[in-house]
Amino acid sequence: MTGVLTWQQLHDLKCAELLDAADGWGAVSTQADAARDRISDEMIRGLEATQKGMAAPAAIGRLRRLDRNYDYIRTECGLVRTTVSSLVYELVGFQGQLKDALDDAASLGFTVAADGSVSYPAGGENVVTKQPVPGGSASADTPVMSRPPTLDAPHPGLVSPNPNQAKAQDIADRIRRVLTAARQADEQFSTALSKLKAEPGLDVTDAMWKDAAADLAAVRKVSGDHLAKTIPTKGTPAERHDWWTHLSPSQRDEYLATCPDIIGNLDGIPAAVRDEANRDNLRLLIGKLSGVDEARARLDGLKSIDDQLRAGSDPPMYLLGIGDQGNGRAIVSYGNPDTAKNVSAYVPGLGTTLDTAFANNDLKRARQTALGARRADPSSATASIVWLGYDAPQFDAVKFLEPDKLAENFAVMGDHDAKVGASAYNQFMAGVSVTHEAGDPHVTAIGHSYGSLTVGLAAQQHGGIPGVDDIILVGSPGTEAKNADALGVGRDHVYVGAAKNDIVTQLPGKGEVTGTALGTLFGGPGVGGYVGHKVGEMVDGGPDKLYFGTDPASHEFGARRFATGDGPELIDRGKLVSSVVDGNLELPSPDVSAHSHYFDPEKDSVSAVNIARIVAGQGSKIITEEPR
């Protein structure tokens, strides 16, 4: 719109044509998405699988650039579509308000001029002459103090005002208000649209994705987030799934373009849809965090996940959640949890944050579990999920055990983060249940380290973990449950792995923290001049108590303990002896890696096979170990 907007222009505006234009941009976005998928799923993977010559890397590099370009086109065209359709949404509302005002004028026999003024006929009666009070014209431009008397404020003389004047003035004011609002909306949306343009060239850079993130924020701002406000973020996963199911394809595309961060992290939305939304949001997050020094570790983690997604994997990856809140959020599945017969969801623990260590190590554990379950049952599809949907306590595993910090670190490692995480985990698992196409998968909840406390608390919430059949606890400092029965799946379906040299499964109880000798933790009394209680004993509890309640690997807890490798000793005795012989009183650096070997078939094949068999629904085939 240009110049001064008239009511006739707003009245005659063909919003259907604008919607057609929006749909055209949407079609371009959809075509770019299809082209991107073809390049990634067919061309790049085909070349990688069949071509080994020197030209192959160059061709693959060019295809990856094209893949990024189509990704960017899809995002920006989707934003154009949303901006135009949001403007139409506003204008249709304004047209409705204008129509109501014009209809009211027509029903009263008033005439609306091109400038919006409203003429009204004679009406009322002069009390002296008994003649009708003459008609006139009302305009929204007339200052309030200069307007003729109204029925509510009659002239102090003997002349009764024309009752039509107040009605005409109201209609004129309504027309002016709707024209002013329409003009403002047009200017705001035009400004947002003018920003949706690409820089010339063949490369889509991080800076361009940063601009795209700003574009998304601008579009949502001018649209009043009217789309975001219609998303049932406070509904149950079942309610959200029902909402999404009843949307038209066009509506779904619009939500994906404008609200990828919300749709991608909404429990109850199908996995394939969440994956599509989160891949878009991932690129926007990378752009948003680029150049932010304090976000470097998180940015590196996001880029590593992006690289793995683009490279592809077997089983295929699904990005079910991504975000930069707290210590970062990431939920990745190897295999589609909506179609797999076996679904597992692993919660990492102490020290986990969205960084390259998570992207490399925790994602690898999920993939190893998926591959192991496939070997255990080749006839059944498996989806193995790593769920970083909460903030785990942040401690360096070695510094955690320093003598002068031991009591302090134990004191701050409470269960608050686990309780918050437990609720979020149950919400996610409820989503897995409602989106599964067959409706009855075999589900395994896996908690490692502090993540086992999170899983344990989730299992103890009302109703337990939705859909869960089996629970695996590895490297666990306890679950705050008295016994396995408290986890709601029956003690025969609670499995525990505790390596001999995993120090976390031997933490002292809360009542013993300040009295425990670091030397006993490191392999025996007297080391370094410290003497203390036996590892795992509490001053007030006995040998079956851990920091967070009953030791899951104990007889008292009653779970099924499966065999694991021992793992490396916390203190290398050979180095310790050498240091003593050499007169060096410093303790060798502790090796806490036994805490992290459970999923790795190369470092602890016994544990990895047992976990895989449980996930595949073959708990009867595990190799067991006597509880403590």
Side-chain angles (χ1 to χ4, degrees):
M1 301 176 193
T2 58
V4 178
L5 177 65
T6 68
W7 67 263
Q8 192 68 55
Q9 288 175 317
L10 179 59
H11 178 273
D12 295 342
L13 183 66
K14 293 179 172 56
C15 288
E17 294 182 358
L18 285 175
L19 281 178
D20 287 342
D23 289 343
W25 284 101
V28 174
S29 178
T30 300
Q31 290 170 1
D33 186 38
R36 178 191 64 175
D37 289 344
R38 183 182 178 192
I39 290 170
S40 177
D41 296 340
E42 297 178 22
M43 300 176 70
I44 292 178
R45 292 180 187 175
L47 280 174
E48 289 176 333
T50 61
Q51 304 300 315
K52 304 299 181 183
M54 295 179 62
I60 291 172
R62 292 188 179 93
L63 286 171
R64 290 196 187 283
R65 181 173 66 183
L66 192 58
D67 176 272
R68 289 192 296 271
N69 291 350
Y70 276 123
D71 197 3
Y72 184 79
I73 291 170
R74 177 192 184 281
T75 297
E76 291 290 284
C77 289
L79 290 178
V80 173
R81 178 253 182 90
T82 297
T83 305
V84 175
S85 61
S86 295
L87 174 59
V88 172
Y89 173 87
E90 298 284 344
L91 293 176
V92 167
F94 296 144
Q95 282 186 322
Q97 295 175 40
L98 175 63
K99 182 179 182 300
D100 289 342
L102 295 175
D103 288 347
D104 287 346
S107 68
L108 294 168
F110 298 171
T111 301
V112 180
D115 63 357
S117 60
V118 181
S119 299
Y120 55 92
E125 183 181 78
N126 186 308
V127 296
V128 176
T129 66
K130 303 301 181 180
Q131 296 296 314
V133 178
S137 178
S139 171
D141 293 329
T142 304
V144 174
M145 297 302 294
S146 302
R147 292 175 180 177
T150 66
L151 290 172
D152 294 330
H155 195 281
L158 298 177
V159 178
S160 175
N162 185 339
N164 291 323
Q165 187 276 332
K167 298 175 183 178
Q169 188 64 60
D170 175 66
I171 292 172
D173 290 342
R174 286 160 60 191
I175 291 174
R176 174 52 58 89
R177 284 196 298 270
V178 73
L179 289 177
T180 299
R183 179 69 185 182
Q184 291 174 342
D186 178 64
E187 292 175 349
Q188 292 170 346
F189 279 91
S190 295
T191 300
L193 277 172
S194 68
K195 296 179 180 179
L196 299 176
K197 57 185 180 182
E199 297 295 328
L202 295 176
D203 287 319
V204 176
T205 64
D206 285 347
M208 292 174 68
W209 279 112
K210 189 170 187 176
D211 287 340
D215 292 342
L216 175 60
V219 169
R220 283 168 63 161
K221 181 178 180 181
V222 299
S223 67
D225 265 350
H226 80 268
L227 273 179
K229 291 175 182 176
T230 64
I231 300 173
T233 54
K234 295 185 178 180
T236 65
E239 290 169 341
R240 297 166 181 170
H241 184 255
D242 182 69
W243 166 78
W244 182 262
T245 300
H246 288 89
L247 293 177
S248 69
S250 178
Q251 288 173 317
R252 292 177 184 175
D253 287 344
E254 194 166 359
Y255 279 109
L256 286 170
T258 311
C259 309
D261 54 330
I262 301 177
I263 298 299
N265 292 284
L266 199 63
D267 299 320
I269 302 299
V273 177
R274 292 180 69 162
D275 177 63
E276 180 180 352
N278 284 318
R279 288 179 188 242
D280 289 342
N281 191 39
L282 175 60
R283 293 301 310 169
L284 295 172
L285 284 173
I286 289 173
K288 172 187 173 182
L289 299 181
S290 294
V292 181
D293 290 340
E294 57 268 27
R296 170 49 57 184
R298 194 169 307 161
L299 179 61
D300 290 342
L302 291 170
K303 286 184 175 180
S304 179
I305 292 174
D306 185 52
D307 289 342
Q308 293 179 56
L309 287 166
R310 291 182 182 278
S313 69
D314 178 32
M317 294 173 66
Y318 288 79
L319 187 59
L320 304 181
I322 199 72
D324 62 345
Q325 63 267 45
N327 295 325
R329 301 287 186 269
I331 307 172
V332 177
S333 178
Y334 288 88
N336 187 342
D338 290 349
T339 59
K341 177 181 178 182
N342 301 306
V343 179
S344 67
Y346 144 63
V347 182
L350 192 69
T352 308
T353 185
L354 179 54
D355 55 12
T356 52
F358 169 82
N360 293 331
N361 300 331
D362 290 286
L363 264 64
K364 182 180 179 181
R365 290 171 186 168
R367 182 170 182 266
Q368 288 169 331
T369 299
L371 293 174
R374 178 194 292 175
R375 287 189 290 269
D377 182 7
S379 65
S380 300
T382 296
S384 176
I385 302 167
V386 52
W387 184 86
L388 182 59
Y390 80 125
D391 290 324
Q394 298 298 300
F395 287 117
D396 180 281
V398 175
K399 292 181 179 179
F400 182 86
L401 297 172
E402 290 179 354
D404 59 341
K405 296 288 183 68
L406 188 62
E408 176 186 341
N409 287 342
F410 271 121
V412 299
M413 193 179 74
D415 61 5
H416 172 74
D417 291 331
K419 287 180 177 178
V420 174
S423 296
Y425 183 72
N426 277 347
Q427 184 89 339
F428 172 77
M429 296 300 279
V432 170
S433 293
V434 300
T435 60
H436 196 273
E437 295 176 9
D440 188 26
H442 170 255
V443 178
T444 306
I446 306 175
H448 173 238
S449 185
Y450 188 87
S452 68
L453 173 62
T454 304
V455 169
L457 291 175
Q460 293 171 75
Q461 289 187 351
H462 179 71
I465 303 173
V468 73
D469 298 289
D470 295 307
I471 294 175
I472 299 175
L473 310 171
V474 288
S476 178
T479 64
E480 294 190 353
K482 181 178 180 180
N483 54 50
D485 292 325
L487 302 188
V489 294
R491 60 176 53 206
D492 287 342
H493 291 275
V494 178
Y495 301 86
V496 176
K500 176 182 177 181
N501 293 318
D502 181 356
I503 190 61
V504 175
T505 70
Q506 303 178 53
L507 290 178
K510 292 183 180 180
E512 195 196 14
V513 170
T514 57
T516 300
L518 182 66
T520 63
L521 291 176
F522 280 8
V527 179
Y530 292 93
V531 178
H533 301 286
K534 180 182 177 182
V535 175
E537 288 185 353
M538 289 184 67
V539 172
D540 57 355
D544 296 321
K545 304 300 180 185
L546 281 185
Y547 192 74
F548 291 112
T550 308
D551 178 2
S554 69
H555 275 287
E556 181 182 347
F557 193 74
R560 297 181 65 189
R561 185 181 182 186
F562 59 83
T564 70
D566 290 345
E569 290 186 333
L570 190 64
I571 290 295
D572 187 311
R573 295 181 182 274
K575 292 182 179 179
L576 179 61
V577 171
S578 297
S579 67
V580 173
V581 172
D582 296 339
N584 181 4
L585 298 180
E586 292 186 7
L587 289 171
S589 297
D591 182 350
V592 296
S593 62
H595 184 57
S596 304
H597 289 177
Y598 295 101
F599 302 89
D600 192 329
E602 294 183 0
K603 296 179 179 178
D604 189 347
S605 61
V606 177
S607 176
V609 167
N610 280 329
I611 291 173
R613 286 175 176 171
I614 297 166
V615 168
Q618 299 178 355
S620 61
K621 296 182 179 181
I622 65 169
I623 301 172
T624 60
E625 184 172 347
E626 186 68 18
R628 291 171 179 161

